[in-house]
Amino acid sequence: MSVAIDEVVAIEHPPEEVVKTSMLLVLAGFALLGAVVLLALFAWASQGERNGQPDVFGMRVTVHEVAERYKAAWSPGVFWPRDAFMHTKRSEVGSPLYKIAWTFLVAWFVCVAFYLIFAGSISAIEVFREKAHLHAAMCVAAALCLCAVWPVLFRIGSRSELHPDPAEEEGAATSAVVAAAATTATKPTAPLAVSTHSTTKETFLWISFVVLLIAAVFAVVGSALIQAWTLPGPQFGTLIFLGPGYGLFAGWLLFAAALNLRVAISYNSYPSGTLPWPETRTEYTHRGSLWPPALALVIACIAVLIPDPAIPLPALIAFFLFTPRKTSHLAASAICLLGFVVATVLVVWKRSN
């Protein structure tokens, strides 16, 4: 009992308690660090075919190959696409946003993990909401572990374009014959691709969506548990690391889960893909959609309810900078921006009280 009393010190921000050191915080840091290492290992092992050899899991297809065939109008593309054609044009490497986001988040969480370890070990750093730190870190670590296995699940049942299955080869041959017969037509006609619907692929696309959705829920819960932006006192380390880190991760996973859902739905409806043919005919693939505003509204509401102003930022960046400037995309960007502003006001109000 005396030890507990010694650990608790007087603070200027009641009723929050503060401890000098915390093994729970150290444990939280190591949990995050372990999850980040696991994510990095799985990412390295899930790159698909390299130098003519499959990856560690025996797969040749990449995540980009699977997702590219079912790219939506609001899927991130090149930076600041000048038009719909530039956005929908097939890419061999995919949008740079994915690599930037994951590289940033992994590096950020490494910093967060070490900060938690040091904050729990050094008595000079005040530790507020000790148990909330542990619970939030465990939630985020669980989300990172789910993200680690996601690339494996997402690719099950899919085949690389360099190594199609016999049904796909037959479909391609049939499409070539139809395309040759259509060359004399007045209007360009898309080749009729033979459906190669795979129950296994469809099942695992939906499973991967559920996994990513659960990961997003874990990340949102982690952000809600700690509410790092509202920690009392001059918690600059927490504000710099935990606030943006947890919020950006939660927002990115919410956006990624929606993209996965769109891929699963598209495959169920159009197994051969949703890319336009010819590539210039984007009037059918880039029509107005309620998906972006609806997704933005959900993300903005979550950000306001926590409150966490970092949550809408990934979707805002994706919609505004990496998709064509369609009305629905601009509306989604405005909703995300509104969520960011309202959440920021709520954070400032809570901290002032």
Side-chain angles (χ1 to χ4, degrees), residues 245-336:
Y246 286 1
L248 291 174
F249 183 52
W252 176 249
L253 287 189
L254 288 169
F255 183 75
L259 286 176
N260 195 155
L261 175 61
R262 182 65 171 79
V263 170
I265 293 175
S266 296
Y267 179 76
N268 184 64
S269 303
Y270 307 100
S272 58
T274 57
L275 294 175
W277 191 94
E279 290 184 334
T280 54
R281 301 190 66 177
T282 59
E283 62 270 20
Y284 299 109
T285 58
H286 282 68
R287 292 176 291 183
S289 172
L290 292 178
W291 274 80
L295 175 60
L297 183 61
V298 171
I299 293 176
C301 288
I302 292 173
V304 171
L305 289 174
I306 290 179
D308 190 333
I311 288 180
L313 293 182
L316 173 60
I317 293 172
F319 285 134
F320 191 69
L321 298 180
F322 291 89
T323 64
R325 278 155 296 286
K326 299 289 184 178
T327 302
S328 59
H329 301 165
L330 294 176
S333 301
I335 294 172
C336 289

Side-chain angles (χ1 to χ4, degrees), residues 217-237:
V217 171
F218 271 124
V220 170
V221 170
S223 176
L225 285 173
I226 188 62
Q227 295 190 25
W229 295 104
T230 62
L231 280 165
Q235 291 281 294
F236 298 116

